[in-house]
């Protein structure tokens, strides 16, 4: 009924804008469409709940690679994946364990704050509470008691609970609009932080059902291996 229609409208809104809009003065360039051959040959380090995952630090060619948020998305998307969307506690625990095992300090997720044209809707305000979503899956993060929900850190560089948009408050530019997982960076455990999207980090890719469907339809010869 109306609830399902509203959900579909929200999904299409985030799918469109997360695929087309970038932070002004932060990162530029359009998002990449998948390459069916690269999708068929993508590296799969492990599987969780039916999706394959790629960890940049576990592959020899990317083990030392640090990229900005959009570049990370594009590397993943070329292979029918996207930056990881952490939608359950179990998935968060799975990623935390992998991060600790690899002794990695930080990695990008697909988490994004809606701070671009079209984000002035009442239900997305204030953006730092109600504007967060997983761009890889177009799923919104919830909010409760005036704060966005999730495994956010209770501290940061300004000793304030995350997300705090610290860099923008201090410098007057570079909105902290992207979500990274940090490994005890502020003696706070393995937790989420809002980070300005131009910073460079390792990344985790997760299979994208939407991009895999697109690649199968556009390249039937590679479809069986995608």
């Amino acid at each position: 009924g109306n609830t399902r229609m509203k959900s579909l409208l929200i999904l299409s809104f985030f799918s469109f804008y997360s695929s087309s809009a970038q932070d002004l003065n932060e990162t530029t360039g359009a998002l990449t469409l998948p390459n069916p051959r690269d999708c068929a040959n993508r590296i799969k380090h492990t599987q969780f709940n039916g999706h394959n995952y790629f960890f940049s630090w576990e592959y020899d060619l990317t083990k030392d690679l640090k990229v900005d948020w959009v570049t990370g998305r594009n590397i993943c998307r070329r292979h029918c994946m996207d930056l990881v969307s952490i939608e359950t506690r179990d998935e968060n625990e799975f990623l935390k364990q992998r991060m600790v095992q690899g002794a990695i300090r930080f990695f990008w997720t697909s988490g994004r704050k809606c701070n671009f044209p079209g984000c002035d809707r009442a239900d997305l305000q204030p953006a730092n509470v109600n504007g967060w979503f997983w761009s890889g899956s177009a799923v919104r993060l919830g909010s409760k008691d005036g704060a966005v929900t999730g495994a956010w850190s209770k501290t940061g560089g300004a000793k304030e609970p995350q997300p705090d948009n610290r860099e923008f408050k201090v410098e007057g530019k570079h909105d902290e609009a992207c979500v990274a997982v940090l490994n005890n960076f502020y003696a706070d455990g393995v937790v989420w932080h809002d980070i300005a999207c131009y910073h460079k980090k390792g990344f985790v890719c997760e299979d994208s059902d939407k991009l895999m469907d697109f690649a199968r339809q556009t390249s039937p010869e590679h479809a069986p291996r995608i």
Side-chain angles (χ1 to χ4, degrees):
N2 290 336
T3 301
R4 176 169 169 74
M5 179 58 71
K6 185 177 180 182
S7 297
L8 288 172
L9 287 172
I10 289 171
L11 181 68
S12 62
F13 171 81
F14 283 123
S15 295
F16 173 76
Y17 278 106
S18 65
S19 297
S20 62
Q22 306 297 340
D23 270 352
L24 296 175
N25 304 317
E26 292 210 5
T27 49
T28 57
L31 291 181
T32 300
L33 288 173
N35 179 305
R37 183 187 299 275
D38 290 339
C39 294
N41 295 323
R42 71 189 182 281
I43 293 166
K44 307 166 186 176
H45 283 135
T46 192
Q47 193 174 85
F48 182 83
N49 280 355
H51 275 182
N52 294 292
Y53 289 75
F54 170 85
F55 302 91
S56 66
W57 59 88
E58 293 187 13
Y59 181 48
D60 195 52
L61 293 179
T62 59
K63 64 182 181 182
D64 298 316
L65 181 65
K66 305 290 186 291
V67 295
D68 64 39
W69 185 78
V70 169
T71 302
R73 282 200 77 187
N74 280 339
I75 293 171
C76 296
R77 287 172 61 87
R78 181 181 177 89
H79 298 86
C80 282
M81 305 175 99
D82 209 324
L83 286 175
V84 65
S85 300
I86 311 175
E87 296 174 44
T88 67
R89 290 183 180 178
D90 286 346
E91 186 176 18
N92 192 54
E93 287 302 315
F94 154 71
L95 292 165
K96 283 170 62 174
Q97 291 175 18
R98 203 83 176 197
M99 184 180 212
V100 170
Q101 288 170 7
I104 299 305
R105 299 194 73 196
F106 36 63
F107 67 81
W108 283 127
T109 74
S110 77
R112 184 72 160 78
K113 182 165 63 181
C114 198
N115 67 340
F116 37 80
C119 291
D120 52 357
R121 287 179 3 197
D123 63 311
L124 299 175
Q125 305 307 314
N128 212 42
V129 175
N130 296 313
W132 292 97
F133 66 104
W134 299 114
S135 60
S137 61
V139 172
R140 289 178 68 174
L141 278 73
S143 62
K144 183 179 180 181
D145 300 328
V148 61
T149 55
W152 297 92
S153 176
K154 293 179 172 55
T155 188
K159 302 190 186 322
E160 294 182 2
Q162 303 296 295
D164 63 354
N165 205 14
R166 177 175 65 97
E167 188 167 337
F168 183 80
K169 290 176 181 176
V170 172
E171 298 185 6
K173 58 181 180 179
H174 299 144
D175 197 4
E176 292 190 337
C178 293
V179 180
V181 178
L182 273 57
N183 185 355
N184 210 33
F185 207 85
Y186 297 97
D188 54 350
V190 179
V191 283
W192 306 355
H193 284 259
D194 58 329
I195 307 282
C197 307
Y198 72 89
H199 288 284
K200 296 186 176 182
K201 303 186 182 303
F203 53 95
V204 176
C205 302
E206 176 185 359
D207 278 351
S208 166
D209 296 334
K210 179 176 65 175
L211 295 179
M212 287 190 293
D213 287 344
F214 174 85
R216 290 186 188 109
Q217 291 169 14
T218 56
S219 185
E221 68 272 24
H222 293 297
R225 296 182 56 220
I226 295 172

